[in-house]
Amino acid sequence: AERDDGRAIAGAAPSKRQHRYRRSKSADTHSVADGVESLNGVVDADDLRGRVCFGVGFFWLATSLLPSGLGPLLRLAGFVMDRERGKDCLAECAEGGLGTRAVPAAISLAMFHLDLEPDVARAGNLLVAALTRTPESPFLHWSGSMLAWRNCCLDQAAELTGKAMWCCGEELGGRALFLRYELGMLSLARMRWDEAYPHLRFVYEAVKSGEVFFVYRLLVPMQLASACFHLGREHEGVALCAECVHSQDFGANSNIEGDFSKLLDLSLKHRSADRKMLAFEVIYLLRQFPRLPAATMVSMVEYIREFSQPFAASEQIMRQEGLPQPQRDAHMERFVEFVSARTIECVLLFYLADLEQAMTFVPQLAQNCTLLPPWCAYLAAHGLYWSGRVVALAGQEAEAARSLRHAKAFKNYPFNICKKISSVLAEFEAGGQARAL
């Protein structure tokens, strides 16, 4: 097969052997390496200049990100903090292709412009230029996947991650744990369960062996379980959830893992009717919906509607007055799955700005959330919150405030959003008082 070396991203580029690094001729620079010459041919002048620019630039940029309260102490100790000069030095190294440090300089500056000082165009230009000079760098392809993911281009992100694995070579690429985890997450987000499973299974086995460091160890078996429930591997998924519930691998300060452990415990105890919604709740709780392209969110809405349709009848049953408790309990699990599906659909339509579709069921969703059992407080709170957000967009602010007050009444539940609810509710109340005046 013809080797894809990244030229499709940045256009034709010379190979690494043919490429010769050139010095930037820009006069507008704060370079601290002026006057550096070749050391008897041992170190190329451009390479030495690049090392100095990268080291000093990275240091200046990093120290400028420290808490402002430490500034006087660091200056007293003789440290210099200059963000602009740091950026200039990194740019000189990256854009001038100054030796082996040009790649990490481009990545450092691109990630800075991706997160801390948003400038997507600048980050993209840095990575494209670096890929043109070094087309087989796995680090650059991975950085490009992060940029694509941030811009809701999941297919391109997966393609670049695959190229990063290819650039690692056959032996190292097969053990590229974090790249395979990223591919697993991207496959989950695109509902490609059969593609997600082998990647997440590989990562799970590696993490379980204890031979690699992984920050949030509990997330891997949980995400693997969510894929299993869509592939008919029910027993494997349940076993993985049970492993997460009884796991002691996460620290006491790992709130996200503790919350997911509680969520999986509830799923095992109370949600045996169908566990397909776990995957979508995980994506939502990991705050990945804003990173999904519109087409993927539309496909998600259609998929959720299709598999949750059998649970729709439970809504009418649960809303009957005077329904005997045994009959209510018999339909509760199916009702919970239906409310979960409607909540996720509500969130997706909110991000799609499809108010017309959302308002066909959101008023009923707010009422259904009040019928959920006490153990399902997390779902009730999140459902009421998003119901309030949607009806507010429809101009029904009184209904929105009512939903938010109901949501605020729930206190102890995993993935607590009480602060967020209070903040939005305060904005509504302040807006109402302003209009009254």
Side-chain angles (χ1 to χ4, degrees), residues 315-385:
E315 180 183 28
Q316 299 300 325
I317 296 173
M318 296 300 296
R319 292 168 70 89
Q320 293 179 12
E321 294 184 6
L323 186 69
Q325 191 62 38
Q327 191 174 352
R328 182 180 295 275
D329 293 341
H331 291 87
M332 184 56 75
E333 281 195 11
R334 300 171 68 83
F335 179 65
V336 168
E337 298 308 314
F338 180 75
V339 174
S340 173
R342 285 302 203 194
T343 299
I344 296 299
E345 186 179 345
C346 173
V347 180
L348 289 168
L349 291 174
F350 177 86
Y351 285 117
L352 285 168
D354 193 339
L355 185 60
E356 183 178 354
Q357 277 201 65
M359 286 304 294
T360 61
F361 66 87
V362 164
Q364 291 77 24
L365 172 61
Q367 297 175 25
N368 289 340
C369 287
T370 62
L371 300 176
L372 291 171
W375 63 264
C376 212
Y378 82 95
L379 182 58
H382 284 260
L384 285 165
Y385 169 77

Side-chain angles (χ1 to χ4, degrees), residues 240-279:
L240 288 165
C241 289
E243 179 182 325
C244 293
V245 171
H246 299 102
S247 174
Q248 300 297 324
D249 285 344
F250 58 92
N253 295 324
S254 181
N255 293 330
I256 187 172
E257 289 183 293
D259 283 346
F260 271 124
S261 180
K262 295 173 185 176
L263 189 69
L264 294 176
D265 190 30
L266 294 175
S267 179
L268 288 175
K269 291 178 179 177
H270 304 287
R271 299 180 67 174
S272 59
D274 194 318
R275 296 188 174 95
K276 289 188 176 70
M277 282 307 302
L278 175 63

Side-chain angles (χ1 to χ4, degrees), residues 295-331:
T296 299
M297 289 193 279
V298 170
S299 299
M300 249 182 213
V301 169
E302 295 173 352
Y303 183 86
I304 291 172
R305 284 177 179 172
E306 181 179 354
F307 80 73
S308 65
Q309 190 59 39
F311 304 134
S314 64
E315 180 183 28
Q316 299 300 325
I317 296 173
M318 296 300 296
R319 292 168 70 89
Q320 293 179 12
E321 294 184 6
L323 186 69
Q325 191 62 38
Q327 191 174 352
R328 182 180 295 275
D329 293 341
H331 291 87

Side-chain angles (χ1 to χ4, degrees), residues 61-87:
L61 186 63
T63 53
S64 73
L65 300 176
L66 293 172
S68 58
L70 295 177
L73 182 61
L74 292 173
R75 291 190 183 92
L76 183 64
F79 291 98
V80 176
M81 294 174 290
D82 194 324
R83 178 173 300 185
E84 293 305 317
R85 291 183 69 188
K87 288 161 53 180

Side-chain angles (χ1 to χ4, degrees), residues 15-36:
S15 67
K16 290 192 292 184
R17 292 184 179 180
Q18 295 171 334
H19 181 73
R20 302 289 297 175
Y21 291 108
R22 298 179 298 273
R23 292 182 60 178
S24 171
K25 296 183 179 180
S26 172
D28 184 18
T29 179
H30 294 283
S31 172
V32 295
D34 290 340
V36 174

